[in-house]
C-alpha cells in the first residue's frame, strides 16, 4: 500500500535543522548585540553609558535612568495587574463555573489578541487627560499612565497561566477541602492557592517579562523624559522606548552605541526572568495560550 | 569713470541674461511635466518639518507619473544626514545647516528650499502671550517651573522637547537657548507634528515647533516683543530661524535632480507656501 | 471575622471579573463611537477610485490601502518563512527528541519567545548594518527584513502549538500507525499530523494575528509613513499598526484623529476575526477528539 519509503534519516535531519533554527536565532541575536556593544569596552565607554545622566548635548550618555524606568514600570504594572488577575482566576475556577465564567475566559483570550498599539492609542485619549487632571505637576504622560495601561495588557497572560495551573491541580485537593467544609473562597485561600504557589509565581514573572519587553505603551504614554522615575506622575523613559527613539541618530556618537547597550541589558534581563521561571516551575512554558491549549488536550484523555 | 559705467552696464546685462536663462531653465525643469518619461525611486528621509511639503510633492509627481515612486520617511534631521550619508536614501532632509564634519565625512551637497522660524508654542487657552528670551531659557533649564513666575496662572509648567535627532531642537537650542541646558524632566516627542499635538492637548504645556507647523491648535509665543511669523523671520526681526535643506550625497542622479528642481521651482514653492514656509527668493 | 473577610474577598473577585469585562467592552465602544463614522471607502482609498486602487493602476494617497496591503504582505511573507520551520521543529520536539533534548531545545524556544519585539527589531537593524559592513554594502531595511524578524517573533508560538497538538494525541491513537506497520515518519505523516492539524492550524492563525499587530519590530526594520504599495520584497512598506501609532502622535486635524480610531477598528476587526477562527478551530478539535475517545 505504501509505495515509497521516504528516507527516514533525511526527514529526521530536516526536522532537527528546523528545531535548531530557534537556537541559532537566539545565539545570533546575542552575538550581534554584543558585537555592536564592543566599542563600548574600549576607553571609558562602559562607565559613561552605565551612568545616571542622559544629556547628549553635554556628552552624557547614561542609560541607568532608563533601566530604572523599565524596572519601575514593569514592577508597578505587575503590582496593578496581579491582584485582579488572582481575583479573576478565583472567580472562574471556584466561584462561578457557569456562563459568566465562560464569558470572562473568552474575553480574556480575546484580550491577548488586542493589538498593543490600540491600548496605547486609546489610553492617550482616555487615561492621559485624567491622570493630568489628577496631578498638577505631571503632563499626564507618566509612570502611572503607562503602568495602568501595561497592567491591562499583561492581565490576560497572568490570568491564563494561573488558571491553567489551577486546573492542573489534582481534583482530589478540591474535593477533600470541600468535604472538610471549606467554602469555595476558603478552598482557594487555604488549599488551592498554596498548592499552586509555584505556578502563580511563574505567571507573575511571565507578566513581568512581558511588561518589561513592551515598547509601544511606554513610547506612547511614558513621556520619554530621560530621568529617574521619581514619582508616579513623572515622565520617564523605558529601555525599549529609548531604543525606538534613539536608534537612528548619528552612528558615531555614544548615543547610538547606548542603544545596543540598552538592547543587551533588556535581553539579559528578560533571559534572567526566563531562567527564574524555569527554576520556579518547569511545567510553565513561556506562552500562556499554548499552556492552556496543552491542558485542554491533556484533559481530553 | 567712463569705463566704470560701461562695465556696470555689461554687468547689468550679464546679470539680466543670467536671470532670464535661469528662470527659463527653471520653468522647463520645474513642473511635474519635467518628469515625463522617467521612472525609478526617490527615497526621502529626515527632517519632520519637511514632511508635509515632501508628501504633497510626492503625491503630485506620482499621480502624474505612476512609474515614479517616492517614499517619505521622518526621523529627524540627524537621521536625514545619516541615512543619506550612508547611501540608505537619495535625499536626506535637515532643518539645520550641515556641520563641516558632516559635509566632509559624507561629501554631501545641500539645497535650501525654504525658510522657517522656530516658535515657542503653548496651549491657546494659556493667558501668557509673550515671553522674553531669558524667560524661555529659564523655563527650559528648569529654573522657572510655575506659570505664575512668568505672568501666567498658578500651575506647573509642562516642558516638551524634541528627540536627539531633531534639527528643530538644534536650532532652538543654539539660537534661543544659547546652548544652555534643557531640563531632563522635559517630555520628549519625535516630530514637529507630534509636538503640536502634545502641546494642543495640555493647557500647561510649553514646547517649540517650526512656524510652518503652527496653526490655531497652539499659540505661538511673542518673543521679546516680536511675533514669530514667517514675515518677521524673513526680514530678520525674529531671530530663531533656519532654512530647510534637502541634501544629497555627491551629485544627484537625473531623477533626484529633477525632483530637487521641482521643489525649488514654482510648483514646489507654492507647496512650501501652502504649508506655511517662506520661499527663499 | 473570617466570614467578613471571605465575603470581602468574594466581592473583590467579582469586582475584578466584572471590571475586566467593562474594560474590554469600554475599549470596544470607545473605538466604535469615535471611529465608525470614518469607516468609508475614502478611509481606504482616499480620493482614488477604488477599482484603480485595488488593481494598482493609480497610487493611493490619504488612504490606508497601502497600509492594508503592507500588513497583508508582511503577514504572508513572515508566515511563509515561519510556518514550515515552526511546524517542523514542533514535530521534532514532540516526536523525535529525547526528553533531555526536548528540555534543551525547548529552553531555546522559551528564550526566543521571551525576547522583546524591539530587541527583535534591533536584531534586524544590526543585521543590515552588519551586512552593509561585510558582504552587501547596499543592503536596506524593507519588507523582507521585517518579515524575517516577525517570523522569529512568531516562531515560538508555532513550535509550541504544533508540539502541544502532537504531544496531546493519546497513546492508543499514536500506536495505530506502528501497529499497521508504518515507519515513524509514515505514522507522523498519515496519522499524527492529520489528528493534530486543527491544533496546528489554530496556532498558525494566532501567530498570524501576532504578526499583524506588532509595531516595535517594523519600527526598526523598514516601515515608513508614506510609500504606496510595495512593488517587491525589498521595498519599504506601510502597515496598519504603524499607521495607528503615527496618527496618535501627529494627526493634523480632528478628521485625521477620527481616522486613527477607524484604523484601530479595522485592525481590531482583523485580529478579532483571526482570534475567532482560531478559537472555533480549537473548540472543534476538542470535540472531534472527545467523540473519538468515546467511540
Amino acid at each position: 500500500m505504501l509505495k515509497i519509503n521516504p528516507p527516514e534519516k533525511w526527514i529526521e535531519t530536516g526536522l532537527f535543522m528546523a528545531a535548531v533554527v530557534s537556537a541559532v536565532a537566539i545565539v545570533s541575536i546575542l552575538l550581534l548585540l554584543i558585537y555592536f556593544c564592543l566599542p563600548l569596552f574600549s576607553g571609558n565607554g562602559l562607565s559613561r553609558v552605565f551612568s545616571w545622566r542622559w544629556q547628549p548635548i553635554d556628552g552624557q550618555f547614561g542609560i541607568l535612568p532608563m533601566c530604572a524606568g523599565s524596572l519601575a514600570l514593569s514592577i508597578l504594572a505587575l503590582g496593578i495587574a496581579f491582584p485582579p488577575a488572582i481575583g479573576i482566576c478565583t472567580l472562574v475556577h471556584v466561584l462561578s463555573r457557569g456562563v459568566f465564567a465562560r464569558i470572562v475566559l473568552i474575553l480574556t483570550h480575546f484580550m491577548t489578541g488586542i493589538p498593543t498599539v490600540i491600548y496605547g492609542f486609546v489610553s492617550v485619549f482616555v487615561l492621559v487627560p485624567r491622570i493630568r487632571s489628577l496631578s498638577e505637576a505631571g503632563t499626564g504622560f507618566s509612570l502611572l499612565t503607562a503602568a495602568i495601561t501595561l497592567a491591562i495588557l499583561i492581565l490576560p497572560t497572568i490570568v491564563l497561566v494561573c488558571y491553567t495551573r489551577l486546573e492542573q491541580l489534582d481534583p482530589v485537593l478540591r474535593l477533600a477541602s470541600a468535604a472538610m467544609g471549606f467554602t469555595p473562597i476558603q478552598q482557594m485561600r487555604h488549599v488551592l492557592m498554596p498548592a499552586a504557589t509555584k505556578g502563580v509565581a511563574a505567571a507573575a514573572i511571565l507578566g513581568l517579562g512581558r511588561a518589561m519587553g513592551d515598547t509601544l505603551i511606554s513610547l506612547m504614554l511614558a513621556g520619554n523624559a530621560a530621568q529617574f522615575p521619581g514619582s508616579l506622575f513623572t515622565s520617564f523613559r523605558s529601555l525599549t522606548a529609548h531604543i525606538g527613539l534613539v536608534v537612528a541618530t548619528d552612528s558615531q556618537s555614544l548615543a547610538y552605541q547606548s542603544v545596543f547597550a540598552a538592547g543587551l541589558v533588556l535581553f539579559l534581563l528578560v533571559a534572567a526572568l526566563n531562567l527564574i521561571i524555569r527554576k520556579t516551575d518547569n511545567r510553565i512554558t513561556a506562552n500562556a495560550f499554548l499552556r492552556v491549549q496543552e491542558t485542554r488536550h491533556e484533559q481530553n484523555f | 569713470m567712463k569705463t566704470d559705467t560701461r562695465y556696470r552696464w555689461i554687468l547689468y546685462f550679464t546679470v539680466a541674461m543670467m536671470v532670464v536663462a535661469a528662470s527659463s531653465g527653471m520653468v522647463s525643469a520645474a513642473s511635474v511635466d519635467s518628469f515625463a518619461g522617467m521612472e525609478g525611486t526617490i527615497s526621502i528621509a529626515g527632517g519632520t518639518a519637511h514632511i508635509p511639503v515632501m508628501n504633497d510633492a510626492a503625491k503630485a509627481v506620482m499621480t502624474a507619473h505612476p512609474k515614479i515612486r517616492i517614499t517619505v520617511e521622518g526621523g529627524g534631521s540627524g537621521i536625514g544626514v545619516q541615512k543619506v550619508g550612508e547611501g540608505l536614501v537619495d535625499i536626506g532632509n535637515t532643518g539645520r545647516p550641515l556641520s563641516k564634519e558632516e559635509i566632509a565625512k559624507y561629501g554631501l551637497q545641500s539645497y535650501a528650499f525654504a525658510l522657517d522660524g522656530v516658535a515657542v508654542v503653548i496651549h491657546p487657552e494659556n493667558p501668557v502671550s509673550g515671553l522674553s528670551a531669558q524667560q524661555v531659557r529659564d523655563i527650559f533649564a528648569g529654573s522657572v517651573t510655575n506659570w505664575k513666575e512668568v505672568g501666567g496662572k498658578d500651575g506647573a509648567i509642562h516642558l516638551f522637547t524634541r528627540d536627539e535627532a531633531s534639527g528643530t531642537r538644534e536650532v532652538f537650542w543654539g539660537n534661543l537657548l544659547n546652548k544652555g541646558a534643557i531640563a531632563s524632566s522635559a517630555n520628549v516627542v519625535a516630530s514637529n507634528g507630534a509636538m503640536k499635538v502634545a502641546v494642543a492637548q495640555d493647557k500647561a504645556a510649553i514646547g517649540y515647533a517650526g512656524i510652518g507647523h503652527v496653526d490655531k491648535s497652539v499659540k505661538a509665543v511673542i518673543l521679546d516683543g516680536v511675533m514669530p511669523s514667517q514675515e518677521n523671520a524673513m526680514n530678520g526681526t525674529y531671530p530663531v530661524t533656519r532654512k530647510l535643506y534637502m541634501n544629497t550625497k555627491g551629485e544627484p542622479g537625473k531623477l533626484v535632480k529633477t525632483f530637487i528642481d521641482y521643489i525649488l521651482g514654482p510648483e514646489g514653492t507654492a507647496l512650501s507656501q501652502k504649508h506655511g514656509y517662506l520661499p527663499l527668493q | 471575622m473570617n466570614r467578613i473577610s471571605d465575603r470581602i474577598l468574594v466581592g473583590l473577585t467579582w469586582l475584578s471579573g466584572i471590571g475586566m469585562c467593562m474594560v474590554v467592552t469600554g475599549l470596544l465602544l470607545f473605538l466604535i463611537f469615535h471611529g465608525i463614522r470614518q469607516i468609508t471607502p475614502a478611509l481606504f482609498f482616499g480620493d482614488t477610485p477604488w477599482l484603480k486602487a485595488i488593481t494598482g493602476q493609480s497610487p493611493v494617497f490619504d488612504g490606508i490601502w497601502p497600509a492594508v496591503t503592507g500588513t497583508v504582505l508582511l503577514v504572508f511573507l513572515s508566515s511563509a518563512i515561519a510556518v514550515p520551520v515552526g511546524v517542523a521543529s514542533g514535530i521534532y520536539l514532540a516526536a523525535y527528541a529525547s526528553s533531555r533534548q526536548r528540555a534543551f531545545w525547548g529552553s531555546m524556544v522559551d528564550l526566543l519567545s521571551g525576547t522583546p519585539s524591539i530587541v527583535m527589531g534591533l536584531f534586524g537593524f544590526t543585521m543590515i548594518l552588519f551586512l552593509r559592513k561585510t558582504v552587501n554594502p547596499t543592503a536596506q531595511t524593507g519588507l523582507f527584513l521585517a518579515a524575517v524578524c516577525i517570523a522569529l517573533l512568531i516562531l515560538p508560538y508555532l513550535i509550541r502549538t504544533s508540539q502541544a497538538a502532537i504531544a496531546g494525541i493519546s497513546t492508543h491513537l499514536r500506536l495505530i500507525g506502528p501497529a499497521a506497520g508504518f515507519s515513524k515518519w509514515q505514522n507522523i505523516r498519515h496519522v499524527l499530523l492529520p489528528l493534530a492539524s486543527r491544533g496546528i492550524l489554530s496556532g498558525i492563525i494566532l501567530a498570524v494575528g501576532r504578526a499583524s499587530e506588532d509595531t516595535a519590530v517594523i519600527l526598526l526594520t523598514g516601515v515608513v509613513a508614506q510609500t504606496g504599495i510595495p512593488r517587491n520584497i525589498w521595498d519599504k512598506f506601510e502597515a496598519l499598526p504603524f499607521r495607528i501609532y503615527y496618527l496618535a502622535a501627529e494627526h493634523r486635524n480632528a478628521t485625521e484623529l477620527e481616522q486613527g480610531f477607524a484604523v484601530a477598528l479595522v485592525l481590531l476587526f482583523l485580529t478579532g476575526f483571526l482570534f475567532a477562527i482560531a478559537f472555533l478551530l480549537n473548540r472543534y478539535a476538542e470535540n472531534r477528539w472527545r467523540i473519538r475517545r468515546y467511540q
Side-chain angles (χ1 to χ4, degrees):
Chain A
M1 186 181 84
L2 295 154
K3 287 149 284 180
I4 323 150
N5 280 332
E8 294 275 330
K9 198 65 203 163
W10 292 9
I11 286 172
E12 185 173 343
T13 314
L15 295 175
F16 176 71
M17 302 290 273
V20 172
V21 167
S22 325
V24 171
I26 268 297
V27 172
S28 31
I29 290 173
L30 188 62
L31 287 183
L32 260 183
L33 283 178
I34 292 175
Y35 174 77
F36 278 90
C37 282
L38 281 183
L40 286 176
F41 289 93
S42 59
N44 57 353
L46 216 54
S47 60
R48 283 176 74 190
V49 164
F50 289 98
S51 71
W52 282 102
R53 268 179 70 76
W54 175 266
Q55 196 67 266
I57 47 181
D58 293 343
Q60 309 238 11
F61 300 98
I63 59 164
L64 286 182
M66 290 66 145
C67 297
S70 273
L71 286 174
L73 175 66
S74 46
I75 290 171
L76 190 62
L78 179 65
I80 298 170
F82 193 67
I86 296 302
I88 292 167
C89 279
T90 313
L91 189 70
V92 292
H93 187 64
V94 293
L95 290 176
S96 149
R97 301 215 59 141
V99 183
F100 185 66
R102 202 158 248 273
I103 293 175
V104 169
L105 274 179
I106 292 179
L107 271 183
T108 316
H109 277 299
F110 173 68
M111 274 175 90
T112 60
I114 297 180
T116 318
V117 69
I118 291 185
Y119 284 120
F121 186 75
V122 172
S123 198
V124 167
F125 300 101
V126 175
L127 209 53
V128 168
R130 285 179 177 74
I131 302 280
R132 184 187 300 136
S133 58
L134 211 63
S135 159
E136 244 292 285
T139 55
F141 295 94
S142 66
L143 183 55
L144 186 63
T145 321
I148 292 175
T149 316
L150 205 48
I152 297 172
L153 182 80
I154 62 172
L155 181 76
T157 309
I158 305 176
V159 170
L160 291 176
V161 176
C162 270
Y163 177 73
T164 312
R165 282 304 260 121
L166 287 169
E167 297 276 295
Q168 282 172 342
L169 289 177
D170 195 337
V172 171
L173 267 181
R174 211 179 148 194
L175 292 174
S177 55
M180 287 165 74
F182 281 144
T183 62
I185 193 85
Q186 285 169 335
Q187 295 167 22
M188 194 70 183
R189 269 178 80 184
H190 303 299
V191 182
L192 302 179
M193 269 298 164
T197 314
K198 282 183 174 179
V200 175
I205 301 169
L206 201 60
L208 196 68
R210 183 116 160 70
M212 207 175 281
D214 190 82
T215 309
L216 263 286
I217 300 283
S218 54
L219 195 59
M220 293 173 90
L221 299 169
N224 297 321
Q227 60 175 350
F228 184 82
S231 94
L232 286 181
F233 298 102
T234 49
S235 161
F236 77 103
R237 189 186 290 183
S238 70
L239 283 171
T240 48
H242 183 70
I243 297 174
L245 276 175
V246 187
V247 72
T249 45
D250 175 25
S251 59
Q252 300 305 306
S253 75
L254 263 176
Y256 183 66
Q257 281 153 20
S258 82
V259 164
F260 303 109
L264 193 59
V265 169
L266 199 60
F267 183 89
L268 294 177
L269 275 175
V270 175
L273 287 179
N274 214 306
L275 201 72
I276 297 173
I277 296 176
R278 289 189 84 79
K279 290 279 174 225
T280 326
D281 183 1
N282 51 14
R283 293 179 68 186
I284 300 276
T285 65
N287 185 293
F289 191 91
L290 313 182
R291 203 55 225 181
V292 173
Q293 229 185 11
E294 277 174 50
T295 352
R296 278 218 202 110
H297 295 163
E298 281 159 23
Q299 280 166 356
N300 288 331
F301 301 103
Chain B
M1 276 301 273
K2 249 187 181 173
T3 46
D4 263 349
T5 40
R6 199 161 64 206
Y7 270 124
R8 190 170 290 164
W9 276 113
I10 293 169
L11 189 70
Y12 283 164
F13 182 74
T14 346
V15 168
M17 283 306 286
M18 278 166 73
V19 166
V20 169
S23 58
S24 61
M26 280 285 209
V27 171
S28 69
S31 83
V32 281
D33 299 334
S34 55
F35 289 91
M38 295 187 184
E39 53 184 284
T41 309
I42 308 171
S43 51
I44 303 170
T48 60
H50 308 55
I51 288 180
V53 179
M54 295 295 144
N55 274 348
D56 278 7
K59 184 173 174 176
V61 173
M62 285 163 77
T63 309
H65 304 283
K67 283 192 171 163
I68 298 173
R69 184 187 169 81
I70 302 172
T71 68
V72 181
E73 269 178 277
S77 300
I79 291 180
V81 174
Q82 195 201 344
K83 285 207 163 166
V84 73
E86 304 272 352
L88 289 165
V89 295
D90 301 313
I91 299 176
N93 289 327
T94 54
R96 57 171 171 82
L98 299 179
S99 69
K100 283 202 187 75
E101 296 81 46
E102 285 168 341
I103 296 172
K105 184 173 156 204
Y106 293 126
L108 299 181
Q109 290 198 2
S110 289
Y111 304 85
F113 68 95
L115 185 79
D116 186 26
V118 177
V120 177
V121 291
I122 56 178
H123 193 272
E125 285 174 34
N126 193 326
V128 174
S129 56
L131 292 170
S132 71
Q134 190 54 47
Q135 281 173 323
V136 174
R137 277 173 218 137
D138 290 343
I139 288 173
F140 274 89
S143 53
V144 167
T145 55
N146 196 307
W147 279 111
K148 200 172 61 180
E149 296 170 62
V150 291
K153 279 188 281 192
D154 187 18
I157 295 175
H158 297 163
L159 280 181
F160 287 86
T161 186
R162 288 281 310 279
D163 53 293
E164 277 74 37
S166 165
T168 313
R169 194 194 60 131
E170 284 215 17
V171 170
F172 178 75
W173 172 68
N175 293 12
L176 186 54
L177 300 186
N178 293 341
K179 309 203 172 187
I182 297 178
S184 60
S185 61
N187 282 16
V188 177
V189 293
S191 69
N192 274 292
M195 175 65 85
K196 196 183 75 180
V197 170
V199 172
Q201 286 170 349
D202 188 343
K203 287 184 182 164
I206 186 166
Y208 51 89
I211 296 179
H213 269 79
V214 174
D215 59 17
K216 62 182 187 305
S217 68
V218 293
K219 178 159 78 176
V221 173
I222 296 170
L223 188 74
D224 286 331
V226 182
M227 184 66 203
S229 65
Q230 298 293 30
E231 292 69 38
N232 288 341
M234 195 63 175
N235 62 33
T237 45
Y238 186 76
V240 196
T241 60
R242 39 77 179 273
K243 288 178 186 166
L244 301 182
Y245 298 87
M246 292 174 284
N247 306 286
T248 58
K249 188 173 176 120
E251 273 304 317
K254 189 168 171 239
L255 181 61
V256 174
K257 179 80 177 102
T258 314
F259 183 79
I260 291 173
D261 287 341
Y262 174 76
I263 294 282
L264 295 174
E267 287 184 27
T269 307
L271 290 178
S272 300
Q273 276 172 321
K274 179 184 150 200
H275 290 290
Y277 301 116
L278 280 183
L280 289 172
Q281 295 85 334
Chain C
M1 190 58 204
N2 243 344
R3 273 250 142 112
I4 298 171
S5 70
D6 275 0
R7 282 208 176 150
I8 292 173
L9 279 179
V10 172
L12 285 177
T13 62
W14 280 92
L15 197 70
S16 40
I18 294 168
M20 195 202 73
C21 296
M22 279 169 59
V23 166
V24 177
T25 44
L27 182 87
L28 291 178
L29 289 178
F30 183 80
L31 283 179
I32 291 171
F33 179 76
H34 286 277
I36 199 85
R37 265 173 302 165
Q38 288 293 331
I39 299 201
T40 57
L43 173 73
F44 290 89
F45 306 115
D47 37 20
T48 313
W50 64 270
L51 197 66
K52 278 192 167 175
I54 289 181
T55 51
Q57 280 175 308
S58 54
V60 173
F61 300 94
D62 313 319
I64 61 168
W65 180 243
V68 174
T69 52
T71 291
V72 168
L73 282 173
L74 182 67
V75 165
F76 186 78
L77 259 179
S78 54
S79 311
I81 299 166
V83 167
V85 177
V87 174
S89 124
I91 295 173
Y92 181 81
L93 291 183
Y96 286 89
S98 69
S99 65
R100 271 188 63 188
Q101 282 175 318
R102 194 176 304 146
F104 176 74
W105 299 116
S107 72
M108 291 296 161
V109 176
D110 284 353
L111 263 181
L112 195 64
S113 81
T115 306
S117 54
I118 190 95
V119 171
M120 219 66 100
L122 195 60
F123 170 63
F125 184 76
T126 52
M127 203 146 66
I128 285 296
L129 293 181
F130 189 73
L131 284 179
R132 291 176 67 84
K133 271 190 191 172
T134 52
V135 285
N136 180 4
T138 58
Q140 287 255 20
T141 57
L143 193 54
F144 183 72
L145 178 74
V148 168
C149 295
I150 295 268
L152 287 181
L153 195 72
I154 60 175
L155 194 59
Y157 285 73
L158 292 160
I159 297 176
R160 286 304 192 186
T161 32
S162 322
Q163 188 191 349
I166 295 170
I169 296 168
S170 68
T171 322
H172 56 268
L173 287 176
R174 275 168 186 282
L175 293 176
I176 290 176
F182 283 11
S183 70
K184 191 164 188 176
W185 171 249
Q186 285 166 339
N187 186 33
I188 293 171
R189 171 72 192 79
H190 299 287
V191 181
L192 300 186
L193 274 186
L195 279 171
S197 61
R198 277 170 212 283
I200 294 175
L201 198 58
S202 78
I204 292 174
I205 291 166
L206 280 176
V208 164
R210 184 82 182 82
S212 63
E213 70 108 353
D214 195 88
T215 324
V217 171
I218 58 178
L219 209 57
L220 303 191
T221 50
V223 79
V224 292
Q226 179 173 340
T227 172
I229 296 164
R231 293 158 308 177
N232 58 51
I233 56 172
W234 315 109
D235 257 352
K236 299 270 195 309
F237 59 99
E238 297 177 35
L240 286 174
F242 181 75
R243 185 93 202 146
I244 298 171
Y245 168 69
Y246 181 81
L247 285 176
E250 34 196 296
H251 50 269
R252 277 171 299 182
N253 48 47
T255 319
E256 274 203 4
L257 179 59
E258 279 193 352
Q259 280 187 354
F261 285 107
V263 182
L265 263 183
V266 170
L267 184 62
L268 194 60
F269 181 77
L270 182 76
T271 53
F273 179 71
L274 291 172
F275 168 79
I277 298 180
F279 192 80
L280 290 176
L281 270 175
N282 234 0
R283 274 286 124 97
Y284 186 72
E286 260 178 49
N287 290 340
R288 200 172 76 139
W289 288 8
R290 202 163 272 150
I291 290 162
R292 281 182 183 241
R293 198 173 73 172
Y294 294 127
Q295 265 168 355

